[in-house]
């Protein structure tokens, strides 16, 4: 069994276990008892943990260096969740400053990811450029979303309470750390001379 195969199994296994814990934490109501900046620190810690695992664990590092870049881009299709932000804004459950710019930004990034996946792997200079531009814009968008959510939660914790209840509690406890880490990995892979598997 190659290091990349071991890494893929490790990533899948830990990912499923992590998702299960995130679901339990959201369903139990535990997250709703946390006050800022604790949820924000949890997000930072989880993101850091993903990055450290990719750097320090040989099997995970081997997987990261060989995984098809399109699989990393496909993760960002989940950002169509931005439509739900807008629904919650209309219900009065999320503030405009977060839900509308963040919702539309996430949907545009998800649509861009879909376009890249349809166009093919980043094997030509034009496609590599398209992937790289999308990656920069996607990273800026998620950092904007996180910064806005943090600012609003610190000013008025109740305004962002929906992010601490299922299903949106999966964003800070699972999806956003993966999204941020995947942007960094995509940048690294595109910056290499000839990324394997696209």
């Amino acid at each position: 069994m190659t290091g990349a195969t071991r890494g893929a199994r490790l990533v899948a296994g830990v990912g499923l276990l992590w998702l299960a814990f995130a679901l339990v934490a959201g369903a139990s109501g535990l997250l709703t008892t946390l006050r800022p900046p604790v949820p924000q620190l949890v997000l930072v810690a989880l993101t850091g943990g993903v990055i450290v695992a990719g750097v320090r664990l040989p099997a995970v590092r081997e997987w990261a260096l060989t995984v098809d870049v399109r699989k990393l881009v496909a993760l960002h299709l989940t950002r169509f969740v931005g439509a739900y932000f807008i629904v919650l804004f209309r219900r009065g459950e999320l503030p405009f400053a977060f839900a509308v710019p963040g919702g539309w930004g996430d949907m545009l990034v998800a649509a861009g990811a879909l376009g890249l996946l349809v166009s093919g792997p980043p094997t030509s200079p034009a496609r590599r450029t398209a992937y790289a531009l999308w990656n920069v814009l996607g990273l800026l968008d998620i950092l904007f979303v996180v910064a806005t959510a943090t600012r609003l939660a610190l000013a008025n914790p109740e305004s962002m309470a929906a992010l601490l209840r299922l299903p949106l509690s999966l964003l800070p406890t699972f999806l956003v750390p993966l999204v941020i880490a995947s942007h960094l990995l995509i940048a690294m892979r595109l910056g290499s001379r000839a990324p394997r598997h696209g």
Side-chain angles (χ1 to χ4, degrees), residues 107-193:
M107 286 190 288
L108 288 172
V109 171
L114 183 58
L116 291 176
L117 294 171
V118 170
S119 77
T123 50
S124 70
R127 281 200 208 129
R128 282 173 77 91
T129 299
Y131 272 73
L133 287 173
W134 168 85
N135 194 50
V136 169
L137 293 174
L139 179 58
L140 290 174
D141 172 74
I142 196 66
L143 294 178
F144 166 80
V145 168
V146 169
T148 302
T150 299
R151 176 175 58 82
L152 295 172
L154 290 171
N156 178 8
E158 292 308 312
S159 70
M160 301 302 293
L163 292 181
L164 300 178
R165 297 189 302 266
L166 281 175
L168 292 185
S169 65
L170 291 176
L171 296 178
T173 60
F174 183 73
L175 189 57
V176 171
L178 291 177
V179 163
I180 294 171
S182 72
H183 274 303
L184 299 177
L185 179 55
I186 291 168
M188 183 190 74
R189 293 290 304 280
L190 292 176
S192 66
R193 281 196 124 170

Side-chain angles (χ1 to χ4, degrees), residues 27-164:
S28 70
L30 171 66
L31 298 175
T32 62
T33 66
L34 304 179
R35 304 285 14 108
V38 175
Q40 292 74 25
L41 294 174
V42 167
L43 189 152
V44 169
L46 291 171
T47 304
V50 172
I51 294 168
V52 168
V55 172
R56 299 299 298 256
L57 299 178
V60 176
R61 185 170 60 246
E62 180 66 18
W63 169 85
L65 294 174
T66 57
V67 65
D68 190 329
V69 170
R70 291 170 294 178
K71 290 182 179 179
L72 300 174
V73 172
L75 169 68
H76 296 263
L77 296 176
T78 59
R79 290 167 79 169
F80 279 117
V81 72
Y84 189 50
F85 294 167
I86 295 170
V87 169
L88 292 182
F89 162 68
R90 290 183 176 161
R91 291 182 188 168
E93 296 181 43
L94 280 174
F96 176 94
F98 171 81
V100 175
W104 280 109
D106 274 347
M107 286 190 288
L108 288 172
V109 171
L114 183 58
L116 291 176
L117 294 171
V118 170
S119 77
T123 50
S124 70
R127 281 200 208 129
R128 282 173 77 91
T129 299
Y131 272 73
L133 287 173
W134 168 85
N135 194 50
V136 169
L137 293 174
L139 179 58
L140 290 174
D141 172 74
I142 196 66
L143 294 178
F144 166 80
V145 168
V146 169
T148 302
T150 299
R151 176 175 58 82
L152 295 172
L154 290 171
N156 178 8
E158 292 308 312
S159 70
M160 301 302 293
L163 292 181
L164 300 178

Side-chain angles (χ1 to χ4, degrees), residues 7-20:
R9 291 183 178 180
L10 179 61
V11 167
V14 172
L16 287 172
L17 190 61
W18 179 9
L19 176 59

